[in-house]
Amino acid sequence: MVSEAQRRANKKWNDKHKEENRIYRYRSYARKYVKDIASEEDLEELQQLINDRMKKY
């Protein structure tokens, strides 16, 4: 059970860190997709996208 004070604190933190929450959520989705859902063809496409992105850095 979460206290009302903790709920308010969580909401306050979430409201101040929307971008961080979005990044955490997308990262989690990406990992889940790669680990559990993607086919070999999907993984090859993702690898190419990652390689292309890495060349920019």
Side-chain angles (χ1 to χ4, degrees):
M1 186 103 196
V2 177
S3 72
E4 183 60 32
Q6 186 63 52
R7 268 194 286 276
R8 283 193 311 269
N10 287 344
K11 181 176 178 359
K12 183 178 177 181
W13 191 92
N14 288 334
D15 289 346
K16 288 181 76 173
H17 298 90
K18 288 182 188 263
E19 184 65 16
E20 290 92 337
N21 281 330
R22 186 177 71 86
I23 291 168
Y24 297 149
R25 194 170 49 250
Y26 285 176
R27 184 182 302 137
S28 175
Y29 296 158
R31 287 179 175 156
K32 176 74 173 167
Y33 180 74
V34 168
K35 286 181 180 180
D36 300 335
I37 299 170
S39 67
E40 184 176 352
E41 184 177 303
D42 294 333
L43 293 172
E44 289 171 359
E45 179 183 1
L46 289 168
Q47 184 65 56
Q48 185 59 51
L49 291 169
I50 291 167
N51 290 340
D52 292 347
R53 179 74 186 267
M54 293 295 291
K55 288 177 186 175
K56 293 181 181 179
Y57 294 104

Short mmCIF file of all heavy atoms in Angstrom, two decimals:
data_model
loop_
_atom_site.label_atom_id
_atom_site.label_comp_id
_atom_site.label_asym_id
_atom_site.label_seq_id
_atom_site.Cartn_x
_atom_site.Cartn_y
_atom_site.Cartn_z
N MET A 1 0.84 -1.18 0.00
CA MET A 1 0.00 0.00 0.00
C MET A 1 0.89 1.25 0.00
O MET A 1 1.84 1.35 0.76
CB MET A 1 -0.88 -0.04 1.26
CG MET A 1 -1.89 1.03 1.31
SD MET A 1 -3.42 0.25 0.89
CE MET A 1 -4.46 1.56 0.53
N VAL A 2 0.56 2.19 -0.83
CA VAL A 2 1.33 3.42 -0.95
C VAL A 2 0.56 4.54 -0.25
O VAL A 2 -0.64 4.72 -0.48
CB VAL A 2 1.56 3.77 -2.43
CG1 VAL A 2 2.28 5.08 -2.58
CG2 VAL A 2 2.31 2.66 -3.13
N SER A 3 1.25 5.28 0.57
CA SER A 3 0.61 6.38 1.30
C SER A 3 0.24 7.51 0.35
O SER A 3 0.81 7.64 -0.75
CB SER A 3 1.53 6.90 2.39
OG SER A 3 2.61 7.62 1.81
N GLU A 4 -0.67 8.33 0.80
CA GLU A 4 -1.07 9.49 0.00
C GLU A 4 0.11 10.43 -0.22
O GLU A 4 0.30 10.98 -1.31
CB GLU A 4 -2.21 10.22 0.70
CG GLU A 4 -2.76 11.39 -0.08
CD GLU A 4 -3.32 11.03 -1.44
OE1 GLU A 4 -3.86 9.91 -1.57
OE2 GLU A 4 -3.21 11.85 -2.37
N ALA A 5 0.95 10.60 0.79
CA ALA A 5 2.13 11.46 0.67
C ALA A 5 3.08 10.91 -0.40
O ALA A 5 3.65 11.68 -1.19
CB ALA A 5 2.84 11.57 2.01
N GLN A 6 3.26 9.60 -0.44
CA GLN A 6 4.14 8.98 -1.44
C GLN A 6 3.56 9.15 -2.83
O GLN A 6 4.27 9.42 -3.79
CB GLN A 6 4.37 7.50 -1.13
CG GLN A 6 5.38 6.86 -2.06
CD GLN A 6 6.76 7.48 -1.93
OE1 GLN A 6 7.29 7.58 -0.83
NE2 GLN A 6 7.34 7.88 -3.04
N ARG A 7 2.23 9.00 -2.95
CA ARG A 7 1.58 9.21 -4.26
C ARG A 7 1.80 10.63 -4.76
O ARG A 7 2.11 10.85 -5.93
CB ARG A 7 0.09 8.90 -4.16
CG ARG A 7 -0.27 7.47 -4.49
CD ARG A 7 -1.76 7.32 -4.71
NE ARG A 7 -2.51 7.38 -3.48
CZ ARG A 7 -2.70 6.34 -2.68
NH1 ARG A 7 -2.21 5.18 -2.97
NH2 ARG A 7 -3.39 6.48 -1.57
N ARG A 8 1.66 11.59 -3.85
CA ARG A 8 1.89 13.01 -4.24
C ARG A 8 3.34 13.22 -4.64
O ARG A 8 3.62 13.91 -5.63
CB ARG A 8 1.51 13.94 -3.08
CG ARG A 8 0.03 14.14 -2.92
CD ARG A 8 -0.31 15.30 -1.99
NE ARG A 8 0.42 15.28 -0.73
CZ ARG A 8 0.00 14.70 0.40
NH1 ARG A 8 -1.18 14.10 0.43
NH2 ARG A 8 0.73 14.73 1.50
N ALA A 9 4.26 12.63 -3.89
CA ALA A 9 5.69 12.78 -4.21
C ALA A 9 6.00 12.16 -5.57
O ALA A 9 6.74 12.73 -6.38
CB ALA A 9 6.54 12.15 -3.12
N ASN A 10 5.42 10.98 -5.83
CA ASN A 10 5.64 10.32 -7.13
C ASN A 10 5.09 11.17 -8.26
O ASN A 10 5.73 11.33 -9.30
CB ASN A 10 4.98 8.95 -7.14
CG ASN A 10 5.71 7.93 -6.30
OD1 ASN A 10 6.86 8.13 -5.92
ND2 ASN A 10 5.03 6.85 -5.98
N LYS A 11 3.89 11.71 -8.08
CA LYS A 11 3.29 12.55 -9.12
C LYS A 11 4.14 13.79 -9.37
O LYS A 11 4.37 14.17 -10.52
CB LYS A 11 1.87 12.94 -8.74
CG LYS A 11 1.19 13.80 -9.80
CD LYS A 11 -0.24 14.09 -9.47
CE LYS A 11 -0.96 14.97 -10.45
NZ LYS A 11 -0.29 15.47 -11.60
N LYS A 12 4.61 14.41 -8.29
CA LYS A 12 5.45 15.60 -8.43
C LYS A 12 6.71 15.28 -9.21
O LYS A 12 7.10 16.01 -10.12
CB LYS A 12 5.80 16.14 -7.04
CG LYS A 12 6.61 17.41 -7.06
CD LYS A 12 6.87 17.90 -5.64
CE LYS A 12 7.75 19.13 -5.65
NZ LYS A 12 8.04 19.61 -4.30
N TRP A 13 7.36 14.16 -8.88
CA TRP A 13 8.59 13.77 -9.58
C TRP A 13 8.27 13.48 -11.04
O TRP A 13 8.98 13.95 -11.94
CB TRP A 13 9.22 12.53 -8.93
CG TRP A 13 10.59 12.26 -9.46
CD1 TRP A 13 11.76 12.71 -8.95
CD2 TRP A 13 10.93 11.50 -10.63
NE1 TRP A 13 12.81 12.27 -9.71
CE2 TRP A 13 12.33 11.53 -10.76
CE3 TRP A 13 10.19 10.80 -11.58
CZ2 TRP A 13 13.00 10.88 -11.79
CZ3 TRP A 13 10.86 10.17 -12.61
CH2 TRP A 13 12.25 10.21 -12.70
N ASN A 14 7.21 12.72 -11.30
CA ASN A 14 6.84 12.38 -12.68
C ASN A 14 6.53 13.62 -13.50
O ASN A 14 6.92 13.72 -14.67
CB ASN A 14 5.66 11.42 -12.69
CG ASN A 14 6.04 10.03 -12.26
OD1 ASN A 14 7.19 9.61 -12.38
ND2 ASN A 14 5.09 9.31 -11.72
N ASP A 15 5.83 14.58 -12.89
CA ASP A 15 5.50 15.81 -13.60
C ASP A 15 6.74 16.61 -13.95
O ASP A 15 6.80 17.27 -15.00
CB ASP A 15 4.54 16.67 -12.77
CG ASP A 15 3.15 16.08 -12.67
OD1 ASP A 15 2.83 15.15 -13.45
OD2 ASP A 15 2.38 16.53 -11.80
N LYS A 16 7.76 16.58 -13.11
CA LYS A 16 8.99 17.32 -13.35
C LYS A 16 9.95 16.60 -14.29
O LYS A 16 10.89 17.21 -14.80
CB LYS A 16 9.71 17.59 -12.03
CG LYS A 16 9.03 18.61 -11.14
CD LYS A 16 9.80 18.86 -9.87
CE LYS A 16 11.00 19.72 -10.19
NZ LYS A 16 11.72 20.15 -8.97
N HIS A 17 9.74 15.31 -14.52
CA HIS A 17 10.68 14.50 -15.30
C HIS A 17 9.99 13.76 -16.44
O HIS A 17 10.25 12.59 -16.68
CB HIS A 17 11.39 13.51 -14.37
CG HIS A 17 12.19 14.16 -13.31
ND1 HIS A 17 11.68 14.48 -12.08
CD2 HIS A 17 13.47 14.59 -13.32
CE1 HIS A 17 12.61 15.07 -11.36
NE2 HIS A 17 13.71 15.17 -12.09
N LYS A 18 9.13 14.45 -17.16
CA LYS A 18 8.38 13.82 -18.25
C LYS A 18 9.30 13.25 -19.34
O LYS A 18 9.08 12.14 -19.81
CB LYS A 18 7.39 14.80 -18.87
CG LYS A 18 6.22 15.09 -17.97
CD LYS A 18 5.23 16.03 -18.62
CE LYS A 18 4.19 16.45 -17.65
NZ LYS A 18 2.97 15.70 -17.74
N GLU A 19 10.31 13.99 -19.72
CA GLU A 19 11.22 13.53 -20.78
C GLU A 19 12.00 12.29 -20.33
O GLU A 19 12.15 11.34 -21.10
CB GLU A 19 12.17 14.64 -21.19
CG GLU A 19 13.09 14.28 -22.34
CD GLU A 19 12.36 14.03 -23.65
OE1 GLU A 19 11.18 14.40 -23.79
OE2 GLU A 19 12.98 13.44 -24.56
N GLU A 20 12.48 12.28 -19.10
CA GLU A 20 13.20 11.12 -18.58
C GLU A 20 12.29 9.90 -18.55
O GLU A 20 12.70 8.80 -18.93
CB GLU A 20 13.75 11.38 -17.17
CG GLU A 20 14.89 12.36 -17.13
CD GLU A 20 14.43 13.78 -16.89
OE1 GLU A 20 13.25 14.12 -17.17
OE2 GLU A 20 15.24 14.59 -16.44
N ASN A 21 11.06 10.09 -18.13
CA ASN A 21 10.10 8.98 -18.11
C ASN A 21 9.86 8.44 -19.50
O ASN A 21 9.76 7.22 -19.70
CB ASN A 21 8.78 9.42 -17.48
CG ASN A 21 8.84 9.45 -15.98
OD1 ASN A 21 9.57 8.69 -15.36
ND2 ASN A 21 8.08 10.35 -15.38
N ARG A 22 9.75 9.33 -20.47
CA ARG A 22 9.53 8.91 -21.86
C ARG A 22 10.71 8.07 -22.34
O ARG A 22 10.54 7.02 -22.95
CB ARG A 22 9.34 10.13 -22.77
CG ARG A 22 8.96 9.79 -24.19
CD ARG A 22 8.72 11.05 -25.01
NE ARG A 22 9.93 11.77 -25.27
CZ ARG A 22 10.75 11.51 -26.30
NH1 ARG A 22 10.48 10.55 -27.16
NH2 ARG A 22 11.84 12.22 -26.47
N ILE A 23 11.93 8.52 -22.04
CA ILE A 23 13.13 7.78 -22.44
C ILE A 23 13.17 6.41 -21.77
O ILE A 23 13.44 5.40 -22.43
CB ILE A 23 14.39 8.61 -22.13
CG1 ILE A 23 14.45 9.82 -23.06
CG2 ILE A 23 15.65 7.75 -22.26
CD1 ILE A 23 15.49 10.85 -22.67
N TYR A 24 12.91 6.35 -20.48
CA TYR A 24 12.89 5.06 -19.76
C TYR A 24 11.89 4.10 -20.39
O TYR A 24 12.15 2.92 -20.58
CB TYR A 24 12.52 5.24 -18.29
CG TYR A 24 13.47 6.06 -17.46
CD1 TYR A 24 13.00 6.81 -16.40
CD2 TYR A 24 14.84 6.09 -17.72
CE1 TYR A 24 13.86 7.57 -15.61
CE2 TYR A 24 15.70 6.85 -16.94
CZ TYR A 24 15.20 7.59 -15.89
OH TYR A 24 16.04 8.33 -15.11
N ARG A 25 10.70 4.64 -20.70
CA ARG A 25 9.63 3.82 -21.27
C ARG A 25 10.03 3.29 -22.65
O ARG A 25 9.89 2.09 -22.92
CB ARG A 25 8.35 4.66 -21.34
CG ARG A 25 7.10 3.88 -21.60
CD ARG A 25 5.84 4.73 -21.42
NE ARG A 25 5.89 6.01 -22.12
CZ ARG A 25 5.98 7.20 -21.52
NH1 ARG A 25 6.05 7.30 -20.21
NH2 ARG A 25 6.00 8.31 -22.24
N TYR A 26 10.53 4.15 -23.53
CA TYR A 26 10.93 3.71 -24.87
C TYR A 26 12.08 2.71 -24.81
O TYR A 26 12.11 1.75 -25.57
CB TYR A 26 11.33 4.90 -25.73
CG TYR A 26 10.18 5.74 -26.23
CD1 TYR A 26 10.43 6.90 -26.94
CD2 TYR A 26 8.85 5.41 -25.99
CE1 TYR A 26 9.40 7.70 -27.41
CE2 TYR A 26 7.82 6.20 -26.45
CZ TYR A 26 8.10 7.34 -27.16
OH TYR A 26 7.07 8.12 -27.63
N ARG A 27 13.03 2.94 -23.91
CA ARG A 27 14.15 2.02 -23.76
C ARG A 27 13.64 0.64 -23.33
O ARG A 27 14.07 -0.39 -23.85
CB ARG A 27 15.16 2.55 -22.75
CG ARG A 27 16.39 1.67 -22.62
CD ARG A 27 17.35 2.18 -21.58
NE ARG A 27 17.79 3.54 -21.88
CZ ARG A 27 17.90 4.51 -20.98
NH1 ARG A 27 17.62 4.30 -19.73
NH2 ARG A 27 18.32 5.70 -21.35
N SER A 28 12.72 0.63 -22.42
CA SER A 28 12.13 -0.62 -21.95
C SER A 28 11.40 -1.33 -23.08
O SER A 28 11.54 -2.55 -23.26
CB SER A 28 11.18 -0.34 -20.79
OG SER A 28 10.52 -1.51 -20.40
N TYR A 29 10.61 -0.59 -23.86
CA TYR A 29 9.90 -1.18 -25.00
C TYR A 29 10.89 -1.77 -26.00
O TYR A 29 10.67 -2.88 -26.51
CB TYR A 29 9.06 -0.14 -25.74
CG TYR A 29 7.92 0.48 -24.99
CD1 TYR A 29 7.41 1.71 -25.39
CD2 TYR A 29 7.34 -0.12 -23.87
CE1 TYR A 29 6.37 2.32 -24.73
CE2 TYR A 29 6.29 0.48 -23.20
CZ TYR A 29 5.81 1.70 -23.63
OH TYR A 29 4.77 2.30 -22.98
N ALA A 30 11.95 -1.04 -26.30
CA ALA A 30 12.94 -1.50 -27.27
C ALA A 30 13.59 -2.80 -26.81
O ALA A 30 13.76 -3.74 -27.59
CB ALA A 30 13.98 -0.43 -27.52
N ARG A 31 13.99 -2.84 -25.54
CA ARG A 31 14.63 -4.05 -25.01
C ARG A 31 13.68 -5.24 -25.05
O ARG A 31 14.07 -6.35 -25.40
CB ARG A 31 15.12 -3.79 -23.59
CG ARG A 31 16.32 -2.90 -23.56
CD ARG A 31 16.78 -2.62 -22.16
NE ARG A 31 18.02 -1.85 -22.19
CZ ARG A 31 18.42 -1.08 -21.21
NH1 ARG A 31 17.72 -0.99 -20.10
NH2 ARG A 31 19.54 -0.41 -21.33
N LYS A 32 12.45 -5.03 -24.65
CA LYS A 32 11.44 -6.11 -24.68
C LYS A 32 11.25 -6.62 -26.10
O LYS A 32 11.21 -7.83 -26.33
CB LYS A 32 10.12 -5.58 -24.10
CG LYS A 32 8.97 -6.54 -24.16
CD LYS A 32 9.11 -7.62 -23.15
CE LYS A 32 7.85 -8.46 -23.12
NZ LYS A 32 8.05 -9.70 -22.36
N TYR A 33 11.15 -5.71 -27.05
CA TYR A 33 10.97 -6.08 -28.45
C TYR A 33 12.15 -6.92 -28.94
O TYR A 33 11.96 -7.99 -29.53
CB TYR A 33 10.81 -4.82 -29.31
CG TYR A 33 10.61 -5.11 -30.77
CD1 TYR A 33 9.40 -5.62 -31.23
CD2 TYR A 33 11.63 -4.90 -31.69
CE1 TYR A 33 9.21 -5.91 -32.57
CE2 TYR A 33 11.45 -5.18 -33.03
CZ TYR A 33 10.23 -5.69 -33.46
OH TYR A 33 10.06 -5.98 -34.78
N VAL A 34 13.36 -6.46 -28.68
CA VAL A 34 14.55 -7.17 -29.14
C VAL A 34 14.65 -8.54 -28.47
O VAL A 34 14.93 -9.54 -29.13
CB VAL A 34 15.82 -6.33 -28.89
CG1 VAL A 34 17.08 -7.15 -29.08
CG2 VAL A 34 15.84 -5.11 -29.81
N LYS A 35 14.43 -8.60 -27.18
CA LYS A 35 14.60 -9.86 -26.45
C LYS A 35 13.52 -10.89 -26.74
O LYS A 35 13.81 -12.08 -26.83
CB LYS A 35 14.59 -9.59 -24.94
CG LYS A 35 15.83 -8.95 -24.42
CD LYS A 35 15.71 -8.78 -22.90
CE LYS A 35 16.93 -8.14 -22.32
NZ LYS A 35 16.79 -7.99 -20.85
N ASP A 36 12.27 -10.44 -26.87
CA ASP A 36 11.15 -11.38 -26.86
C ASP A 36 10.30 -11.44 -28.12
O ASP A 36 9.57 -12.41 -28.29
CB ASP A 36 10.22 -11.06 -25.69
CG ASP A 36 10.91 -11.15 -24.33
OD1 ASP A 36 11.92 -11.87 -24.23
OD2 ASP A 36 10.44 -10.48 -23.39
N ILE A 37 10.35 -10.43 -28.96
CA ILE A 37 9.36 -10.35 -30.03
C ILE A 37 9.97 -10.37 -31.43
O ILE A 37 9.44 -11.05 -32.31
CB ILE A 37 8.51 -9.07 -29.86
CG1 ILE A 37 7.78 -9.13 -28.51
CG2 ILE A 37 7.53 -8.90 -31.00
CD1 ILE A 37 7.10 -7.85 -28.10
N ALA A 38 11.05 -9.67 -31.64
CA ALA A 38 11.60 -9.46 -32.99
C ALA A 38 12.03 -10.76 -33.65
O ALA A 38 12.61 -11.63 -33.00
CB ALA A 38 12.78 -8.50 -32.92
N SER A 39 11.76 -10.84 -34.94
CA SER A 39 12.22 -11.98 -35.74
C SER A 39 13.68 -11.71 -36.16
O SER A 39 14.21 -10.62 -35.94
CB SER A 39 11.36 -12.11 -36.99
OG SER A 39 11.57 -11.00 -37.86
N GLU A 40 14.30 -12.70 -36.76
CA GLU A 40 15.68 -12.51 -37.24
C GLU A 40 15.74 -11.38 -38.25
O GLU A 40 16.66 -10.56 -38.22
CB GLU A 40 16.19 -13.81 -37.86
CG GLU A 40 17.64 -13.73 -38.28
CD GLU A 40 18.17 -15.05 -38.80
OE1 GLU A 40 17.48 -16.07 -38.70
OE2 GLU A 40 19.30 -15.04 -39.33
N GLU A 41 14.75 -11.31 -39.12
CA GLU A 41 14.71 -10.23 -40.12
C GLU A 41 14.58 -8.86 -39.43
O GLU A 41 15.24 -7.90 -39.81
CB GLU A 41 13.52 -10.45 -41.06
CG GLU A 41 13.42 -9.45 -42.18
CD GLU A 41 12.27 -9.78 -43.11
OE1 GLU A 41 12.24 -10.90 -43.65
OE2 GLU A 41 11.40 -8.88 -43.27
N ASP A 42 13.73 -8.78 -38.42
CA ASP A 42 13.58 -7.54 -37.66
C ASP A 42 14.90 -7.14 -37.02
O ASP A 42 15.28 -5.96 -37.03
CB ASP A 42 12.52 -7.69 -36.55
CG ASP A 42 11.12 -7.90 -37.08
OD1 ASP A 42 10.82 -7.44 -38.20
OD2 ASP A 42 10.32 -8.52 -36.35
N LEU A 43 15.60 -8.11 -36.43
CA LEU A 43 16.87 -7.83 -35.77
C LEU A 43 17.92 -7.33 -36.76
O LEU A 43 18.70 -6.43 -36.44
CB LEU A 43 17.36 -9.06 -35.02
CG LEU A 43 16.52 -9.48 -33.82
CD1 LEU A 43 16.99 -10.82 -33.29
CD2 LEU A 43 16.52 -8.42 -32.75
N GLU A 44 17.93 -7.91 -37.96
CA GLU A 44 18.86 -7.45 -38.98
C GLU A 44 18.58 -6.01 -39.37
O GLU A 44 19.50 -5.20 -39.53
CB GLU A 44 18.80 -8.37 -40.20
CG GLU A 44 19.40 -9.74 -39.94
CD GLU A 44 19.14 -10.74 -41.05
OE1 GLU A 44 18.48 -10.38 -42.06
OE2 GLU A 44 19.60 -11.89 -40.92
N GLU A 45 17.30 -5.68 -39.53
CA GLU A 45 16.93 -4.31 -39.86
C GLU A 45 17.32 -3.35 -38.74
O GLU A 45 17.88 -2.27 -38.99
CB GLU A 45 15.42 -4.20 -40.12
CG GLU A 45 14.97 -2.80 -40.46
CD GLU A 45 13.48 -2.68 -40.65
OE1 GLU A 45 12.75 -3.68 -40.51
OE2 GLU A 45 13.03 -1.55 -40.93
N LEU A 46 17.05 -3.74 -37.51
CA LEU A 46 17.42 -2.91 -36.37
C LEU A 46 18.93 -2.72 -36.30
O LEU A 46 19.41 -1.62 -36.01
CB LEU A 46 16.91 -3.52 -35.07
CG LEU A 46 15.40 -3.46 -34.86
CD1 LEU A 46 14.99 -4.34 -33.68
CD2 LEU A 46 14.95 -2.03 -34.65
N GLN A 47 19.67 -3.79 -36.57
CA GLN A 47 21.13 -3.69 -36.54
C GLN A 47 21.62 -2.67 -37.57
O GLN A 47 22.51 -1.87 -37.28
CB GLN A 47 21.77 -5.06 -36.81
CG GLN A 47 23.27 -5.05 -36.70
CD GLN A 47 23.73 -4.74 -35.30
OE1 GLN A 47 23.36 -5.43 -34.36
NE2 GLN A 47 24.53 -3.70 -35.13
N GLN A 48 21.01 -2.67 -38.75
CA GLN A 48 21.40 -1.71 -39.78
C GLN A 48 21.07 -0.28 -39.34
O GLN A 48 21.87 0.63 -39.50
CB GLN A 48 20.72 -2.03 -41.11
CG GLN A 48 21.18 -1.14 -42.24
CD GLN A 48 22.67 -1.24 -42.49
OE1 GLN A 48 23.20 -2.34 -42.61
NE2 GLN A 48 23.35 -0.11 -42.54
N LEU A 49 19.90 -0.10 -38.73
CA LEU A 49 19.53 1.22 -38.24
C LEU A 49 20.50 1.69 -37.15
O LEU A 49 20.90 2.86 -37.13
CB LEU A 49 18.10 1.19 -37.68
CG LEU A 49 16.98 1.00 -38.70
CD1 LEU A 49 15.67 0.72 -37.99
CD2 LEU A 49 16.87 2.21 -39.60
N ILE A 50 20.88 0.78 -36.28
CA ILE A 50 21.83 1.12 -35.22
C ILE A 50 23.18 1.48 -35.81
O ILE A 50 23.80 2.48 -35.42
CB ILE A 50 21.94 -0.04 -34.21
CG1 ILE A 50 20.64 -0.18 -33.42
CG2 ILE A 50 23.13 0.15 -33.28
CD1 ILE A 50 20.52 -1.46 -32.63
N ASN A 51 23.64 0.69 -36.77
CA ASN A 51 24.93 0.98 -37.41
C ASN A 51 24.93 2.34 -38.08
O ASN A 51 25.89 3.11 -37.95
CB ASN A 51 25.29 -0.11 -38.42
CG ASN A 51 25.63 -1.42 -37.77
OD1 ASN A 51 25.96 -1.49 -36.59
ND2 ASN A 51 25.53 -2.50 -38.53
N ASP A 52 23.84 2.65 -38.78
CA ASP A 52 23.73 3.95 -39.45
C ASP A 52 23.74 5.08 -38.41
O ASP A 52 24.41 6.11 -38.62
CB ASP A 52 22.44 4.03 -40.27
CG ASP A 52 22.45 3.11 -41.47
OD1 ASP A 52 23.53 2.58 -41.83
OD2 ASP A 52 21.37 2.88 -42.05
N ARG A 53 23.05 4.88 -37.33
CA ARG A 53 23.01 5.91 -36.28
C ARG A 53 24.36 6.09 -35.62
O ARG A 53 24.79 7.22 -35.32
CB ARG A 53 21.94 5.50 -35.25
CG ARG A 53 21.79 6.44 -34.08
CD ARG A 53 21.09 7.73 -34.51
NE ARG A 53 21.06 8.69 -33.44
CZ ARG A 53 20.09 8.84 -32.56
NH1 ARG A 53 19.02 8.09 -32.65
NH2 ARG A 53 20.17 9.73 -31.63
N MET A 54 25.07 5.01 -35.40
CA MET A 54 26.39 5.06 -34.75
C MET A 54 27.40 5.83 -35.60
O MET A 54 28.30 6.47 -35.06
CB MET A 54 26.91 3.66 -34.44
CG MET A 54 26.13 2.91 -33.38
SD MET A 54 26.21 3.67 -31.75
CE MET A 54 27.91 3.36 -31.35
N LYS A 55 27.25 5.77 -36.91
CA LYS A 55 28.16 6.48 -37.80
C LYS A 55 28.07 8.00 -37.63
O LYS A 55 29.00 8.72 -37.94
CB LYS A 55 27.87 6.12 -39.25
CG LYS A 55 28.30 4.71 -39.61
CD LYS A 55 27.92 4.37 -41.04
CE LYS A 55 28.22 2.92 -41.33
NZ LYS A 55 27.75 2.52 -42.67
N LYS A 56 26.93 8.47 -37.10
CA LYS A 56 26.74 9.90 -36.88
C LYS A 56 27.51 10.41 -35.69
O LYS A 56 27.68 11.61 -35.52
CB LYS A 56 25.25 10.21 -36.71
CG LYS A 56 24.44 9.98 -37.96
CD LYS A 56 22.99 10.32 -37.71
CE LYS A 56 22.16 10.06 -38.97
NZ LYS A 56 20.75 10.38 -38.74
N TYR A 57 27.97 9.52 -34.82
CA TYR A 57 28.67 9.93 -33.59
C TYR A 57 30.15 9.75 -33.70
O TYR A 57 30.77 9.20 -34.41
CB TYR A 57 28.16 9.16 -32.38
CG TYR A 57 26.73 9.49 -32.05
CD1 TYR A 57 25.70 8.62 -32.36
CD2 TYR A 57 26.40 10.72 -31.47
CE1 TYR A 57 24.39 8.93 -32.06
CE2 TYR A 57 25.10 11.03 -31.16
CZ TYR A 57 24.09 10.13 -31.47
OH TYR A 57 22.80 10.45 -31.18
#
